[in-house]
Amino acid sequence: MPSSTVTSPTLAARADQALAGLAPGYFALVMATGIVSVGLRTAGAAGVARALLVLGVLAAAVLAVLYIARWLRHRERMRADARNPESAFGYFTVVAACSVLAVGLQAEGLGMASVVLLGIGASIWIVLGYVLPWQVLMTRDGEPILARTNGSWFVWSVASQSLAVGLSGLEPASPVFAAVLGLLTVLSWSVGTILYVGIAVLVILRIVHFGITPQQFEPTYWVAMGALAIAVVAGAGIYAMEPVPMVDAARGLIGGTVVLFWCFALWQYPLLLGAGLWRHVIHRVPLRYVPTLWSMVFPLGMFAVASLRLGHVEHLPLVEGIGIVGLVVAVCAWVAVFAGLLVTLMRGVRGT
């Protein structure tokens, strides 16, 4: 009987295969790392926050190179992802990653680098904000789009709110620039808020009409909470901006929604935890590293930051205490997911 040998793919072949399957939403790694850094700085751990910020910048640079390489080698795969309702909105993580890093750089006194990142993020947001929804809604493949609506759609709202957070932290050089900055910041916050409402309706309709299985309840659904939390941070930033016409016109409305959004985010926290137990404990869906886990870490970190800032600004010690507890949870989640990433990378190099 002739013997047969099975040859494992070479390292280059495995790397190219991984590149072809690179998740559109992998910049959530940068988002999660950046917001945990911001949370630690807010809590007073400046040294650790700086280290995570550097790690986030390095991760963003590596991912940028990988995405460019994927476009050059696997362009059709990227186009297919951009037309797929289940994955297309993951590309908005690039925008949110730029904005979160910009906020971290502002805290380090690197204002010009922050402006550059915000400019890049805003440019990508404008393009993707029109192109991706058109690709998703106008491309028909015979399957209902509503049935494939998921938590990753909320990243569209997060991207818009993240720009508002970054813009609200800039220091205008002139009254004219201050007026333009106020307009852009309020616009970003408003678009993100309205998008959240529309996406929430679609996700609820999907669950009501088509149901959701434990396998389908992916970590991206946590972004529903993160989108509310970042709206709190953005709203607080706008409320504290220098008085200009657009900010003054929206200040009362935005200030009144901040507490409301935070309360609804807090309400979602145990709901999402319970859904996770339903998925992994009751239905025994294996808990292993997947890129979408970063989409869970980011909302945990963002909720912590929102709680810390709201508690400090409004003199609410209980809310600030919740933020400290939330930050501990976010840091633990980041460490666990990062460890999973390292193990996955090592296995990929070894071919196991």
Side-chain angles (χ1 to χ4, degrees):
M1 185 175 180
S3 60
S4 59
T5 59
V6 179
T7 58
S8 59
T10 64
L11 178 59
R14 294 196 301 272
D16 189 65
Q17 184 179 9
L19 185 66
L22 187 65
Y26 227 128
F27 267 89
L29 160 63
V30 181
M31 294 166 56
T33 304
I35 197 57
V36 171
S37 171
V38 171
L40 288 170
R41 178 174 290 279
T42 304
V48 182
R50 186 173 295 113
L52 278 181
L53 178 61
V54 171
L55 181 60
V57 171
L58 292 175
V62 171
L63 285 170
V65 171
L66 291 176
Y67 274 84
I68 292 171
R70 189 179 188 229
W71 174 254
L72 294 175
R73 291 190 56 82
H74 305 285
R75 192 167 303 180
E76 289 306 316
R77 288 287 297 271
M78 291 192 74
R79 287 173 175 167
D81 287 338
R83 292 190 293 265
N84 185 351
E86 296 177 277
S87 62
F89 292 94
Y91 284 118
F92 279 106
T93 57
V94 179
V95 178
C98 288
S99 301
V100 171
L101 290 181
V103 172
L105 293 174
Q106 289 171 6
E108 294 291 339
L110 300 173
M112 184 55 64
S114 173
V115 171
V116 170
L117 272 179
L118 285 172
I120 294 172
S123 300
I124 297 173
W125 176 70
I126 291 172
V127 174
L128 293 186
Y130 293 104
V131 173
L132 281 185
W134 179 270
Q135 289 284 321
V136 170
L137 297 176
M138 295 298 110
T139 301
R140 301 295 175 174
D141 56 9
E143 297 183 33
I145 293 176
L146 185 61
R148 291 180 289 169
T149 305
N150 58 33
S152 69
W153 286 44
F154 286 107
V155 183
W156 189 8
S157 171
V158 168
S160 184
Q161 296 285 8
S162 70
L163 288 175
V165 175
L167 291 171
S168 66
L170 295 179
E171 296 182 3
S174 67
V176 174
F177 182 67
V180 174
L181 186 63
L183 171 63
L184 294 177
T185 306
V186 173
L187 183 148
S188 299
W189 183 89
S190 303
V191 171
T193 301
I194 295 172
L195 284 175
Y196 182 90
V197 174
I199 293 166
V201 170
L202 290 175
V203 171
I204 292 171
L205 286 174
R206 174 259 165 92
I207 295 173
V208 169
H209 283 276
F210 299 98
I212 186 169
T213 66
Q215 290 75 19
Q216 291 172 332
F217 186 79
E218 296 181 342
T220 52
Y221 281 94
W222 279 83
V223 185
M225 182 187 76
L228 285 171
I230 197 172
V232 172
V233 176
I238 293 172
Y239 195 81
M241 289 179 73
E242 294 296 324
V244 293
M246 180 59 76
V247 172
D248 289 342
R251 199 187 303 272
L253 171 64
I254 293 175
T257 63
V258 167
V259 174
L260 178 66
F261 286 167
W262 182 85
C263 289
F264 193 49
L266 177 63
W267 177 82
Q268 287 186 8
Y269 208 121
L271 178 68
L272 292 164
L273 284 175
L277 294 175
W278 170 73
R279 170 181 163 90
H280 296 292
V281 177
I282 297 177
H283 291 279
R284 301 180 184 276
V285 175
L287 181 58
R288 59 172 63 94
Y289 175 79
V290 289
T292 51
L293 281 173
W294 293 112
S295 296
M296 180 187 72
V297 179
F298 172 77
L300 292 173
M302 184 53 73
F303 178 77
V305 170
S307 302
L308 289 170
R309 292 194 177 178
L310 180 64
H312 177 73
V313 171
E314 299 295 338
H315 307 290
L316 301 170
L318 179 59
V319 173
E320 199 166 359
I322 291 173
I324 294 294
V325 174
L327 182 60
V328 172
V329 173
V331 170
C332 291
W334 185 92
V335 171
V337 177
F338 189 72
L341 170 62
L342 293 179
V343 171
T344 301
L345 289 176
M346 287 187 292
R347 287 178 177 174
V349 171
R350 294 173 183 173
T352 58

